Structures are given as structure tokens and as C-alpha cells.
Amino acid sequence: MFEEGTKITMADGNLEDIHNLRENDIVMSDNGTTARVISISRDIQTTYLLSQRTKHRKTENNMTFDRSYRENIDGVVDLKCSLGHTLNLTLSTKPTLEKSFKLNQILVRWIQLEDIVTANGRIINIPKFHNKKFPLNDIGTLEAQTYLNSILVQNSKPLVYDLEVRDLDYLDAQSRSRSKLCVKPVLTGNGRLSEFLTGQRHLNTLSVQNMAWLIGLWIGDGTTVRPEISVDSLDTSLMEALIELTKPWGIYPSYTDSVIPLRAKHVKLYYGKKPANKKYYQNCKTNNPFWKVVTELDFKNREDGSKEIPPFLYCDDIEIREAFLAGLIDADGYVSKEVSQSGKYQVNIQTIYPSVMKGIINIARSLSINTTITSKPERIAIIKGKEVHCKLTYDCGMTGTTALQNVLSYCHSGHKIRPKPANIDRGPTYFTFDHNKRGLNHVYSIKLENSKKIVLGNKMSLNNCNINCMSEQKKLSKTKNSKQCLACRYIGIGRFYRDWTGKNKLCSRCYARYKFSGYRCKSCNFVPDSREIKRKCNQQEENIEELHVNKILECSHCMGVLAYDVIRGPNRQVHMIHAM
């Protein structure tokens, strides 16, 4: 069962809270078709939060010291459900061959599903590691390689298995850390933009795609007062594309230089040609088809006038989503010049609007593109000798292969265009996850006809609720190999590193901070990074070497005393030389 407030993707692409659904409502299923809701039930049960393990981060500065700011990371895929809900998990199962010179043997390891009996007598099917030993000699090596090849044939595909949330702790540490949930791309569309512009759904002509591109360009670099877009005058290909692509809609871009010409041209999108005589009037907002799309389809918030990406666009036709994202990249995107060895492209878009950030995430996921969000808090920056107040910024990073390459083929900025791929891979994307207890909450169970899978608002594909979801289930097993970081309280089963007490209780992030800064708080054990230490040094106008000896630094979280580790700090070699 899903917690109250969970978003469900409807058949028209809009998102609806699960507690507002009724029987016979039509929702979207994971194969791109629609499905009818045949039953809904409600209960109060203990829920768990399943959240994506990700590289999403929140940076800090001298204006942001709240620990909760770092913990509430944006853009993470999550799910709140009861213990009895069944998850559809995927686990990669590539067999390996390991040589142990100490034991003088060769080990072939692989994974396969096995039945086990739980504490309450249920039989569940979970992955288990198996191994076979061979002597470490020429004959043993040949036999091990032959056996490995036979195992490779049998385990060529990832393992797909179903497991209830309460049974996750029966998995061993490696299987648990590598088991993944699925996000499915949206392969069909609602044709909403095409219907608004042409009166017919799915009529995605070149002009309709150009309008989607223009809206993306305005979301990135447009003004909310009037149809006006800021364009870099040095990017001639983008300026030419803006002029040519708007002509079919009767829109004629125009700008007037100031006394001192600026590089950024504020281009107004007038509707209708300029008359021949000097006394003329051009429509800027009146009857302008572009501005009608912006205002009537809610790309501009009706309450505060801020930019936003309406939810219907998350499930519009693929061509429309790609063209819109390309326009946003042309306006505010940075495209990496080099392609990774695995053939992945990388794009970054920065925005100050939370709704735009959420829209980028949802559209990218619907196109099978991975996204990562790095939040930068409000800060004071020095730009060309002037003090500038920068707002909270979301840096949206996107990575993908042919799916992202096809989006870049819609771009018109000279250095951002990429060739159109011959074939486009729109397979599902997978992610590992953590699960943590939330407490008692209102939960809802829904079932779709023909046992089709449910698509949440974040594009997660999940099984229908079964009979175990209808009542409270008990969690009888304990989390295996789980550790808690001494500094940031992170709980996980990954690798932990040696701390100042001599025990392995630091996560990788805090260990790196401690290695480069050498400081920790004596009260709350918080580990600041080296940049925060440098900022404190600059504030006190002291040299950092003098600071180690004479000054006392305060913790930015609890106002306690920051202690410097002479043995493990970054200058440990210098102190050791002085000691000698």
C-alpha cells in the first residue's frame, strides 16, 4: 500500500494524489497503455521510505549551516509504502573468476535464486551467492575457465525477482546493495500541446516542435512580463534559428541596441509584420500564439507569475518533450565537449525555479535520461569586482547515450548541436536504494485491470497491491551489516573508513572531508570540509598555520569547538618532521 500523498500518473499525463483516485479512473501503466482502477482500499499502517542512492548533493557556504539543509536532497526518486508491498527488483549477475594465491585455489562465483524459509514460516525466493573451487595450476585454470563460460551462458541476463519490503533484510550485503528498482520511460504521449495549437492530438508537425523549442528557450532565458528572450549576439546560429523558426507562426523577433551595444540582446517576439509607414503598431501580447501557450497552458504561474513546467508536459509526445528540452539546453545548458568512453553525453542546466527543476527531472526520466541535482544555496559572489547576491540555484546534470544525443540534435546553438543517432535506446533506468522507517500513516491500496503495473508520478514502475498489503505486516528480520556514520549519521551497508577513535565509523564523504581538513567537532562530531576552514581563516584574517596552534574555531552546527588532528590531518608530515 502507498502512503497518502503519493502521486499517480493519469492517462492524460497529469499527476493525481492517490487519495483522490476513485474506482473506474483511467491511469497510465508501465507499458505505455492505459488501465482502469478496479479497486481502492484504505488503512493505517507502518510505512517505510525507499529513497534513491544518488550523487545528488547540496553544497554549503557561510550562509548555510543547517544540517537539515544537507539532508533534504532535491530530485531523488523515492517511494513511501507499507511493509507488505511487493517490489520488482533487478540484480546484475555476471559470474566472476577470482584467484587466491594465499589459499592456492581459483574461485568461480555466481548468483542464482533460491527458496528460503522466513521466521514466520513463509517461503521466499531470493538471490544467493554460490562458488566452486579449482586448484591453482594449469589444469585447474582451464577447468575454471570452461566452467565460467558455461555459467556465463546460463546467467547472461540480470536476475529479476519479487520481494516484499519486510523481507529486504534477508538479502546478504552484496545482493542488497546491488538490487535495483526501475524507472520506466514514457513511450506514448497525450498530445496536449499539439491539440492546443492545431486542434488535433499527436499532429506533431515541424511548426509544433519549433513552438515547443521556443517555449523551452523562454523558460531558460525569457522574461515573465512580456514575450522577450535574452539571446547571446555572438551565437549567430541561435539568433538565425530564432528568426526562421518563428515565421510560420507569424512571429517576428526584434531588438533595439542601447547606446552602448551589449552582448546579450533582449529580443521581443512581436506578432505580425512591421508596417511600411513609420506609424505602426506591432502586437506583443495580443493574439500572440506563443504568449497564449505560455499563459493558457500554465508555463507562467497564475499566482506569482514565476516560470514553471506544467505536469502535462511530462507525458506529452516524445518529439515535443525532446524539442522543449533542447530549447532549454540552448538557453541555459552547458554541453560537455567530450563523450565518455561508454558513449555517454553530459549536459548541465541551472535554474532558480523549483518547478522548472522538477520539470527537467521528470521530462529527462520520461526520455530514459539520468539526472543529478546539485543545490547551491543563496550566497554573495564577486563578479567583475562587484558584489552580487545569488539566489538558491539548482544545477541539473543529465547523462545519457543515444536518448540524450537525440535531444541535442534538436538544438540550434552552434556548439551544442550533435548529430542525430541512427538508433535510439529508450530502455528503463535502474537505481539502488535505501529503506528507512517512517511510522504510522494513512495508506491506500489500488489494483489495475489485467494486473498491469502502476506508474507513479516520478515514473517508478511498481506491482499492484496484493493481499499482504491489506493488513499490517511485521518486520521480523534485522538489517544486516548496517553501520552509522559517526559524523553525519548516515546509515548504510557500504564501506566505512577509520575515524579518530580507531574504528571504521566514517562514511566515504566524511572520511574525505576529514582527510583534507583534519578538523572535527568535539561536541557533535561534525566534520567540516577544507573550504569551510579556509572561509573561517579569511574571516579572521589569519594564516592557517597559525590557526592550528593559536586559534579556536567554532563548529557551524552546534557552536562547539573544532579540534585539529595533528596525526591524521593534512599537515601531519610537517608536524612529524617538527617533532623529530
Side-chain angles (χ1 to χ4, degrees), residues 183-196:
V183 173
K184 288 287 186 72
V186 180
L187 302 178
T188 58
N190 51 36
R192 180 78 180 278
L193 183 62
S194 171
E195 183 183 28
F196 182 85

Side-chain angles (χ1 to χ4, degrees), residues 17 27 35 60-61 105 141-142 171 252-253 303 310 373 433 443 451 476 486 491 527:
D17 290 331
V27 300
E60 305 166 40
N61 63 8
Q105 64 183 15
T141 303
L142 182 61
L171 299 173
Y252 294 87
E303 295 181 359
I373 305 299
F433 62 97
V443 291
S451 299
L476 302 177
L486 190 62
I491 299 176
V527 178

Side-chain angles (χ1 to χ4, degrees), residues 57-60 69 74 373-377 392-395:
R57 289 290 179 264
K58 283 198 171 185
T59 57
E60 305 166 40
Y69 168 83
D74 298 298
I373 305 299
T374 301
S375 303
K376 301 178 181 179
L392 171 66
T393 307
Y394 304 99
D395 189 349

Side-chain angles (χ1 to χ4, degrees), residues 1-127:
M1 300 183 81
F2 303 106
E3 189 176 310
E4 184 178 18
T6 300
K7 299 288 185 181
I8 304 295
T9 304
M10 306 301 290
D12 59 358
N14 290 323
L15 306 182
E16 189 66 61
D17 290 331
I18 192 170
H19 56 267
N20 293 330
L21 291 181
R22 298 292 181 267
E23 290 187 9
N24 297 320
D25 281 351
I26 306 299
V27 300
M28 184 176 291
S29 63
D30 72 326
N31 58 1
T33 60
T34 58
R36 183 173 59 89
V37 179
I38 59 176
S39 69
I40 300 177
S41 59
R42 177 183 174 181
D43 197 5
I44 298 178
Q45 296 183 20
T46 302
T47 59
Y48 272 68
L49 172 65
L50 279 63
S51 57
Q52 176 189 10
R53 290 178 189 163
T54 177
K55 295 181 180 178
H56 300 218
R57 289 290 179 264
K58 283 198 171 185
T59 57
E60 305 166 40
N61 63 8
N62 55 342
M63 297 178 65
T64 308
F65 296 133
D66 186 11
R67 183 182 291 250
S68 62
Y69 168 83
R70 301 191 329 274
E71 294 174 350
N72 299 323
I73 300 173
D74 298 298
V76 173
V77 184
D78 58 23
L79 166 67
K80 300 167 186 174
C81 63
S82 61
L83 286 169
H85 194 83
T86 302
L87 305 174
N88 186 247
L89 302 175
T90 303
L91 177 66
S92 58
T93 60
K94 187 176 180 180
T96 59
L97 188 148
E98 302 173 2
K99 293 183 178 180
S100 174
F101 293 96
K102 184 177 181 180
L103 300 177
N104 197 31
Q105 64 183 15
I106 302 175
L107 200 66
V108 177
R109 305 185 75 224
W110 72 96
I111 306 175
Q112 67 182 34
L113 294 175
E114 281 190 2
D115 291 336
I116 66 167
V117 180
T118 63
N120 57 355
R122 294 178 297 112
I123 298 177
I124 60 175
N125 196 240
I126 64 172

Side-chain angles (χ1 to χ4, degrees), residues 126-225:
I126 64 172
K128 286 283 188 179
F129 273 92
H130 296 265
N131 60 74
K132 189 171 182 178
K133 300 176 182 178
F134 298 88
L136 186 58
N137 52 39
D138 294 340
I139 298 176
T141 303
L142 182 61
E143 291 177 350
Q145 189 62 49
T146 305
Y147 190 77
L148 177 64
N149 294 335
S150 64
I151 294 294
L152 283 170
V153 174
Q154 300 174 11
N155 298 271
S156 57
K157 295 182 180 180
L159 282 180
V160 179
Y161 63 102
D162 291 335
L163 195 66
E164 294 181 13
V165 176
R166 57 175 168 168
D167 297 326
L168 285 172
D169 292 333
Y170 282 104
L171 299 173
D172 59 69
Q174 292 189 32
S175 298
R176 175 63 187 88
S177 62
R178 292 162 54 187
S179 293
K180 300 178 181 180
L181 288 170
C182 174
V183 173
K184 288 287 186 72
V186 180
L187 302 178
T188 58
N190 51 36
R192 180 78 180 278
L193 183 62
S194 171
E195 183 183 28
F196 182 85
L197 293 173
T198 65
Q200 182 177 344
R201 287 178 180 262
H202 313 297
L203 185 61
N204 298 315
T205 62
L206 190 59
S207 297
V208 175
Q209 295 177 30
N210 292 339
M211 180 62 77
W213 174 83
L214 185 61
I215 296 169
L217 195 69
W218 177 83
I219 288 288
D221 272 339
T223 59
T224 57
V225 179

Side-chain angles (χ1 to χ4, degrees), residues 401-421:
T401 53
T402 54
L404 184 55
Q405 183 184 355
N406 198 59
V407 170
L408 296 175
S409 68
Y410 284 84
C411 291
H412 294 280
S413 181
H415 59 283
K416 298 175 184 177
I417 305 173
R418 297 295 183 271
K420 192 176 183 68

